[in-house]
Amino acid sequence: MLHGDGPLVVFAGAGSGKTRVITYRIAHLVAERDIRPWRILAVTFTNKAAGEMRERLAGIVPGGADGLWVGTFHATCARLLRLHADAAGVRKDFTIYDDGDQRAVVKRVLQDLSLDEKRFPAKTLAGSINRAKQEMRGPDDVDTGDYWREQVARVYEAYEQRMAKAGALDFGDLIYRLTRALEESAALREELAGRFRHVLVDEFQDTNHAQLRLVRALASVHGNLCVVGDDDQSIYRWRGADRRNILDFREAYPSATVIKLEQNYRSTKRILRVAHAIIRRNLDREPKELWTDNDEGEKVLVLRTLDERREADEIVRALLELQRQGHLLTDAAVFYRTHAQSRVLEDALRSANLAYRIVGGLRFYDRAEVKDLLAYLRLLHNPDDDVSVLRVINVPARGIGKTSQSRLLDVAAERGLGVLEALEHVPGDGRFSAAPTRRLGAFTELVAHLRAEAAKLPLEDLGGAVLQDTGYLEMLKADDSVEAETRLQNLEELVGSIREFAEGRRAAGEEPTLADYLAEVTLQTAADGAEEAAADKVTLMTVHAAKGLEFRTVLVMGLEEGMFPMGSGELREDPEEMEEERRLAYVAFTRAKERLVLTWATRRRIFGQERAGGPSRFLGDLPDDDVHRLGGGGGGSSRRPRAAELAYAPDPWDGPRKPDTRTDRGESFVDRSEYSDLDEGGIGPGTLVRHKKFGVGRVARLDTGGMYPKAEVDFEGVGRKKLIVRVLEPA
């Protein structure tokens, strides 16, 4: 970068070498313009990015990054606050409180103000305080237009007093305090301007209001501010990021030099055309279009499936095909819009013995809320399961602390009882005062109530009843945060899996039991240990977590209206929300280097509910010349293939192949449409079929209206049974 002094904004498209831009800009300043490294401040969003920058500089500049200030916003601000504590009005030896510490302080404040934490959850209030600091608003600046906001302002003020007394700063304070000091003190601005002659900011489209004001203050004296980013990849609006910061840069700095990097070094021409077809529909963006010298590449595959299980099966088939051709699983990634979508995919991968890793989240069955509900269910199945009792005895919080639990374990050990049985001996035991005795008694009554419910409720209703009766749902709904919403979705997905299991067992002619469900889940999770030992793993992640990464093969699942784009009704039609969803799709598609596969399902059970799915509007935007559609739908002129055609569909990885007259069960991307189970198996009215439990029977009628095709079959000596077609075979 040969730009000299003054403001500079670089719009760096996906795969255009954004990190290289900042690195070479710094190298130019040091080697060609004789700027000392310690007079350069480079701000990034992750420690990993900062480390990579230092490593690259070490290879191209003599002495590398010696003395260069490079780090995240929070780390940089913490360092500067230590050096300029007096000017910022903080203690030099301040302690930094993490999120857990912050919530603990808020809880103390709630007690001081006699506010009910159920009505004013500490986590929600902490989030409100953090958002206020992102917007550079102190306690006196908070809008108090209603009772809730009045209490937020009270809590905020008392919270700040407690933090000051403790000599502590939270994460939001690090940026907020330094920015305030810079804006209020000309002397501090002059001092830091003298230290840092050049300020460079990476991922500028992801900055919030406080971060914007910080970098402007740091560069206010000399104006040597270089920002790099891409408004088309701004996908963190929900956490305060404002892409207007980069779009409006020229308004704030009319003399700014503008550079656009539009050459992509990552993806094929087809992938870029498909990605551009999505993002070009956004009206509020900096005009640009990526191009590449790479090959045309394979057509983007759009695959329509019947439901989420078929979708997962086809993704597994694709991965197996890649393995067969000699590709590594580490070269492939599967993206989804929300974490809850991973459960069905994880089940399919485990069944196929394919190793995987999840980025930006835990495996479905490892998530705390999932383990909590499973622990309750295990307790109902086996009252002697002490591990499960101890996991849920204080979840949700009911005032049964570690001391009470330890004493309860002593009672159990002394009497040779399980923990649940030991609860009966708490009253009258001198180790327990009145309050713990009352709380433990309430838990005992709760378990008795749940066991009574379990005895009379059908299996599919049990999970929901447990969440309701234990107060778990109420706890999460009271916590107005993105994390709580995600946890609710995961629990709804688990409840949905119980319902799916029950329906599947009944369709197979068996009565579902809690024991069978828990056994199946346990066997699924037990396979995880073997997968951990495998070095070659496919990557699973949300689209949000995929930003900045790249893979030879990318599969994006769940491209239906309401799933991706996410939302319904007014939310889905909100222009800003829809533009953010398009940016998410653009980010997802441009992670792919060689192959891009997009899948959608006509029916999907998600968050405990079954929904009909139409193809995402994004699929209708794709240029037909660059897309190969299997299964029909998804826009364009593709008709829905017949099952006979799909059975011998061309392998999209290997290119054209001649039709084969033999039954081919190893092909990739075979659409299992509503009738494919019937056509391929040759099952229809009047057909003799065999079932492993009921023996031979004759099909009376077919029902293709549900998620899975079903057949009513008359079995001799048993009568008529309604079964899923997939559990039958011609006799």
Side-chain angles (χ1 to χ4, degrees):
M1 298 295 297
L2 302 181
H3 175 79
D5 291 341
L8 169 67
V9 56
V10 180
F11 288 94
S16 63
K18 173 176 54 61
T19 304
R20 178 185 173 93
V21 168
I22 291 185
T23 303
Y24 274 78
R25 169 70 176 162
I26 294 173
H28 170 72
L29 291 173
V30 173
E32 302 297 330
R33 303 197 61 232
D34 201 28
I35 304 295
R36 298 296 87 194
W38 55 87
R39 293 194 178 279
I40 300 172
L41 172 62
V43 186
T44 69
F45 271 83
T46 65
N47 290 315
K48 179 182 177 182
E52 289 178 353
M53 194 176 298
R54 288 194 186 92
E55 289 178 8
R56 294 191 185 193
L57 283 168
I60 60 176
V61 180
D66 294 346
L68 172 71
W69 276 59
V70 55
T72 64
F73 274 98
H74 290 102
T76 299
C77 290
R79 188 176 175 187
L80 288 173
L81 282 172
R82 300 273 188 210
L83 293 173
H84 304 281
D86 291 341
V90 300
R91 284 169 45 171
K92 190 179 294 288
D93 62 344
F94 63 81
T95 301
I96 300 175
Y97 278 4
D98 63 16
D99 293 341
D101 299 326
Q102 183 186 33
R103 288 195 294 273
V105 175
V106 173
K107 288 181 179 180
R108 291 286 303 277
V109 169
L110 290 172
Q111 293 173 1
D112 294 343
L113 299 179
S114 300
L115 291 174
D116 182 5
E117 191 179 342
K118 290 185 177 180
R119 187 174 181 186
F120 298 95
K123 190 171 182 179
T124 303
L125 288 168
S128 297
I129 292 171
N130 291 337
R131 284 191 294 274
K133 290 179 179 179
Q134 286 180 1
E135 296 163 5
M136 293 300 298
R137 291 185 290 119
D140 294 336
D141 303 316
V142 174
D143 181 13
T144 56
D146 55 38
Y147 180 73
W148 166 263
R149 284 179 284 187
E150 286 177 4
Q151 303 314 308
V152 170
R154 288 181 66 210
V155 170
Y156 190 179
E157 182 177 11
Y159 168 83
E160 292 291 271
Q161 292 170 356
R162 274 201 169 272
M163 293 289 284
K165 186 175 181 180
L169 301 180
D170 58 37
F171 288 143
D173 275 324
L174 298 176
I175 298 173
Y176 172 74
R177 299 273 183 175
L178 181 61
T179 304
R180 281 284 194 205
L182 283 166
E183 292 180 340
E184 293 171 0
S185 172
L188 182 59
R189 290 197 301 274
E190 290 285 349
E191 182 176 352
L192 291 185
R195 177 190 293 268
F196 303 121
R197 298 300 301 168
H198 287 270
V199 179
L200 301 94
V201 186
D202 191 15
E203 302 284 11
F204 196 63
Q205 79 282 347
D206 292 335
T207 53
N208 59 38
H209 184 65
Q211 291 162 338
L212 171 67
R213 285 170 60 169
L214 171 68
V215 297
R216 284 183 176 177
L218 287 170
S220 60
V221 176
H222 48 65
N224 294 329
L225 175 60
C226 169
V227 303
V228 182
D230 181 12
D231 58 298
D232 286 337
Q233 297 184 74
S234 178
I235 58 174
Y236 300 118
R237 177 170 170 258
W238 52 275
R239 70 182 188 194
D242 188 353
R243 62 194 164 77
R244 299 303 323 174
N245 292 348
I246 192 169
L247 290 174
D248 295 343
F249 189 83
R250 283 165 292 189
E251 293 183 17
Y253 299 95
S255 63
T257 299
V258 180
I259 296 175
K260 296 181 184 181
L261 302 181
E262 297 174 289
Q263 182 175 4
N264 175 284
Y265 299 96
R266 176 189 300 151
S267 306
T268 65
K269 288 183 172 67
R270 289 191 191 277
I271 290 172
L272 292 186
R273 286 197 292 265
V274 163
H276 182 67
I278 299 298
I279 201 64
R280 70 182 178 85
R281 292 180 176 269
N282 277 4
L283 301 178
D284 190 14
R285 61 184 290 265
E286 180 70 22
K288 52 191 169 300
E289 182 173 357
L290 295 180
W291 60 275
T292 185
D293 284 333
N294 294 339
D295 295 337
E296 279 287 304
E298 302 171 8
K299 286 190 173 185
V300 172
L301 182 65
V302 175
L303 174 64
R304 170 190 180 276
T305 64
L306 172 61
D307 55 47
E308 77 281 0
R309 290 206 166 275
R310 305 294 178 84
E311 179 183 51
D313 289 344
E314 298 304 333
I315 289 173
V316 167
R317 286 170 180 257
L319 296 171
L320 290 171
E321 180 66 20
L322 284 171
Q323 274 193 326
R324 186 185 68 78
Q325 295 179 25
H327 297 289
L328 295 174
L329 290 177
T330 51
D331 290 333
V334 184
F335 300 159
Y336 33 77
R337 183 62 181 82
T338 180
H339 278 300
Q341 289 172 263
S342 77
R343 180 190 64 83
V344 175
L345 180 58
E346 289 182 64
D347 290 349
L349 289 168
R350 278 191 288 263
S351 296
N353 291 318
L354 289 179
Y356 65 91
R357 67 188 184 103
I358 294 182
V359 175
L362 294 170
R363 297 170 184 268
F364 183 81
Y365 292 107
D366 287 341
R367 293 163 191 165
E369 61 275 11
V370 171
K371 296 178 79 170
D372 288 343
L373 177 53
L374 289 175
Y376 270 114
L377 295 177
R378 289 190 174 103
L379 167 59
L380 297 183
H381 168 60
N382 176 16
D384 296 325
D385 184 351
D386 288 351
V387 172
S388 293
V389 174
L390 292 172
R391 180 176 182 90
V392 301
I393 197 170
N394 198 42
V395 178
R398 47 179 66 95
I400 304 175
K402 294 296 183 184
T403 300
S404 295
Q405 293 180 41
S406 177
R407 290 171 180 168
L408 180 61
L409 287 172
D410 290 341
V411 172
E414 291 167 6
R415 296 176 176 270
L417 302 172
V419 176
L420 200 61
E421 290 179 299
L423 284 168
E424 299 175 6
H425 299 274
V426 168
D429 191 297
R431 284 168 287 197
F432 298 91
S433 60
T437 299
R438 184 176 64 256
R439 293 165 186 155
L440 289 167
F443 178 71
T444 304
E445 293 174 3
L446 172 65
V447 173
H449 168 74
L450 292 175
R451 294 186 67 187
E453 289 285 285
K456 62 184 181 182
L457 285 175
L459 176 61
E460 52 266 42
D461 294 339
L462 185 56
V466 168
L467 292 173
Q468 186 69 47
D469 294 349
T470 59
Y472 209 108
L473 277 183
E474 181 182 359
M475 173 188 72
L476 291 179
K477 288 178 179 178
D479 181 1
D480 183 21
S481 69
V482 174
E483 181 185 1
E485 179 62 28
T486 299
R487 295 181 70 190
L488 277 170
Q489 291 176 350
N490 289 334
L491 287 171
E492 289 167 352
E493 180 66 15
L494 182 62
V495 170
S497 79
I498 300 172
R499 185 175 297 112
E500 184 178 289
F501 172 84
E503 291 176 356
R505 284 299 174 96
R506 289 198 181 93
E510 302 172 11
E511 187 60 30
T513 68
L514 178 58
D516 289 341
Y517 174 75
L518 292 173
E520 180 169 288
V521 170
T522 303
L523 290 173
Q524 288 175 340
T525 55
D528 292 348
E531 291 174 8
E532 287 300 322
D536 188 26
K537 304 176 183 179
V538 62
T539 299
L540 313 183
M541 65 178 75
T542 65
V543 179
H544 279 105
K547 189 168 175 291
L549 303 177
E550 60 181 39
F551 300 88
R552 290 182 66 182
T553 300
V554 167
L555 304 98
V556 186
M557 60 188 292
L559 278 154
E560 301 119 39
E561 283 292 298
M563 282 300 301
F564 197 1
M566 177 73 78
S568 60
E570 294 181 4
L571 180 65
R572 196 163 70 222
E573 299 308 322
D574 180 276
E576 290 191 7
E577 292 289 341
M578 187 51 58
E579 292 211 348
E580 179 100 345
E581 292 291 316
R582 286 190 178 278
R583 290 193 293 272
L584 273 169
Y586 177 77
V587 166
F589 296 178
T590 54
R591 301 308 96 194
K593 298 169 70 174
E594 299 172 9
R595 304 178 186 88
L596 178 60
V597 181
L598 312 175
T599 67
W600 68 283
T602 58
R603 295 184 183 88
R604 182 177 302 276
R605 175 166 285 177
I606 188 76
F607 310 144
Q609 297 180 335
E610 183 178 324
R611 61 174 73 175
S616 166
R617 67 187 70 187
F618 301 157
L619 298 180
D621 295 338
L622 307 184
D624 286 336
D625 290 344
D626 294 314
V627 175
H628 177 51
R629 304 180 194 268
L630 278 179
S637 58
S638 297
R639 62 180 172 82
R640 177 179 173 185
R642 295 185 294 273
E645 294 176 308
L646 291 170
Y648 312 108
D651 186 335
W653 307 114
D654 288 336
R657 72 179 183 186
K658 295 179 180 179
D660 194 340
T661 56
R662 68 179 185 274
T663 301
D664 184 359
R665 296 292 181 182
E667 75 285 5
S668 296
F669 307 115
V670 175
D671 182 277
R672 307 292 181 181
S673 62
E674 286 93 338
Y675 300 99
S676 60
D677 277 323
L678 315 181
D679 295 344
E680 291 178 14
I683 295 174
T687 304
L688 286 176
V689 294
R690 186 183 305 277
H691 184 268
K692 65 179 181 179
K693 180 177 180 180
F694 303 121
V696 176
R698 188 177 298 277
V699 176
R701 65 183 296 271
L702 293 173
D703 178 8
T704 60
M707 178 177 288
Y708 300 106
K710 299 179 179 67
E712 291 184 16
V713 184
D714 292 321
F715 293 96
E716 186 176 353
V718 178
R720 180 168 293 188
K721 298 289 183 180
K722 190 171 186 178
L723 304 166
I724 295 176
V725 169
R726 67 168 63 172
V727 304
L728 303 173
E729 59 183 33

